[in-house]
Amino acid sequence: MSRLALPYRSPAPSCVRADAWQLVLDGVTTDLPESLDFWDYRMDIELSRTVHVDLPAARAGAGLDAGAVLTVAAVWTASGSNLRGPVQRVPLTGDEVRTVNLHAVLPGAQLGGVLSLETVLVLSRSTGTGAPFAPRRAGSLLWDDAVSLRLQGDAPLFPMTVIDFAQTSFRDGAAWHLQLGSDLNAAAMGSMLLLVNERAEEVSTAFAHAARPGPVDRVVLSMVYSDCARIMMEHALLKEEFVDEAGFSEDSLGATLVSLFHRLFPGRTIQDLRQLRHNSPSLFASELQAATRILQEA
């Protein structure tokens, strides 16, 4: 629980017992991990959690009367999309220990980066006859906790969609196409899009199985990741403003490319890599393969 000093009374943390968040994948429930490898924007996140609230103790600790209505709520925030939304909101009445089962399926298209989950117990309604310094305003925080799930993992750092290339200007035989914006200062989420040809069944299937990839899926995902990393690095190196001393704003396309560069080539300089690509494109391609560990186990 947050230990910030509140301008009103609050109950002891022991009034709320919250079980660990659970992640549901293909019908199998497990404890929420620190990160989810191979997550992509087509994959929704199904979550559940059980929270037990001792209502008499919570009201007494906050100085509230027996008629006060409390609410358990949970909200999510995604750093990659800068979006947030509700998981569930459950009002609590009565004079007993209440058990609340929170459950939600979060749309993958709205997520990305680090998914933060905050669970709170708040005051919904008070009769105004509580003890001195008892909370009065609806929404007053009584208890909270937060956990996070990193969704980037080894997956591509961009949204994706599956389309029929025959209905576009792309060649029918291409399996995927990575679109990148030209402005490195623009928001990354609006500057990158991976298009997968639905006719390339091995590729679209691999992304559909990205949460639990099989042997063939892993090979395909590795090849897509390596190729996208190459495209992103070549795109960056063609930009004059992509230099070692550049200071791109957080969550911009430039910052994403700089982060990828340092992850793939720790200890190297951008100028060194640019020179390598200019002098020996074939060696540059080989170094990208090694840096992305193409066809190797993570």
Side-chain angles (χ1 to χ4, degrees):
M1 175 177 175
S2 171
R3 304 313 301 174
L4 294 176
L6 299 173
Y8 49 81
R9 294 174 57 176
S10 61
S14 59
C15 293
V16 180
R17 181 170 61 85
D19 296 344
W21 277 102
Q22 301 291 299
L23 177 68
V24 183
L25 288 176
D26 299 330
V28 179
T29 301
T30 61
D31 287 344
L32 192 73
E34 293 184 0
S35 63
L36 192 59
D37 292 340
F38 296 109
W39 176 86
D40 70 80
Y41 289 83
R42 295 178 61 206
M43 177 183 172
D44 297 339
I45 301 296
E46 184 175 359
L47 301 163
S48 65
R49 187 184 204 183
T50 300
V51 180
H52 311 273
V53 182
D54 186 335
L55 286 175
R59 291 195 188 99
L64 296 166
D65 61 85
V69 178
L70 309 185
T71 293
V72 168
V75 296
W76 62 266
T77 305
S79 67
S81 62
N82 288 323
L83 296 177
R84 61 184 286 123
V87 174
Q88 199 171 341
R89 182 181 177 87
V90 181
L92 305 177
T93 57
D95 190 22
E96 57 190 359
V97 176
R98 289 286 306 276
T99 297
V100 177
N101 295 310
L102 301 173
H103 178 267
V105 178
L106 309 184
Q110 298 181 19
L111 307 178
V114 176
L115 174 64
S116 299
L117 300 166
E118 184 180 16
T119 309
V120 298
L121 177 68
V122 298
L123 173 65
S124 290
R125 187 174 67 250
S126 171
T127 62
T129 59
F133 301 108
R136 297 285 189 270
R137 294 179 180 273
S140 295
L141 180 65
L142 304 179
W143 173 93
D144 75 324
D145 83 341
V147 298
S148 61
L149 169 65
R150 180 169 294 278
L151 296 176
Q152 301 297 60
D154 291 329
L157 305 179
F158 30 73
M160 62 161 291
T161 187
V162 179
I163 60 173
D164 183 358
F165 277 24
Q167 307 300 318
T168 71
S169 59
F170 305 125
R171 295 292 296 269
D172 292 359
W176 61 83
H177 174 80
L178 177 61
Q179 292 183 337
L180 295 171
S182 59
D183 184 1
L184 299 189
N185 292 300
M189 285 295 293
S191 303
M192 302 184 293
L193 178 64
L194 177 63
L195 302 172
V196 174
N197 189 355
E198 67 179 21
R199 300 193 179 201
E201 295 183 4
E202 295 84 355
V203 180
S204 57
T205 299
F207 277 102
H209 297 164
R212 292 173 175 267
V216 175
D217 302 323
R218 291 184 184 276
V219 170
V220 173
L221 292 171
S222 177
M223 294 178 65
V224 175
Y225 171 70
S226 183
D227 188 54
C228 288
R230 176 189 60 80
I231 294 171
M232 293 172 73
M233 283 294 91
E234 290 186 334
H235 182 80
L237 294 173
L238 289 173
K239 300 292 184 180
E240 293 183 357
E241 62 270 34
F242 188 74
V243 293
D244 292 299
E245 61 272 16
F248 298 106
S249 61
E250 187 178 2
D251 297 325
S252 67
L253 175 59
T256 299
L257 294 173
V258 168
S259 176
L260 178 62
F261 166 76
H262 286 301
R263 183 152 62 90
L264 295 178
F265 301 101
R268 305 257 315 250
T269 67
I270 291 175
Q271 180 56 33
D272 174 43
L273 193 66
R274 180 177 280 117
Q275 196 68 32
L276 175 64
R277 180 181 179 276
H278 176 76
N279 293 335
S280 180
S282 59
L283 182 57
F284 169 80
S286 297
E287 294 225 8
L288 253 299
Q289 287 185 13
T292 57
R293 298 178 56 84
I294 189 170
L295 303 182
Q296 300 179 48
E297 289 291 334

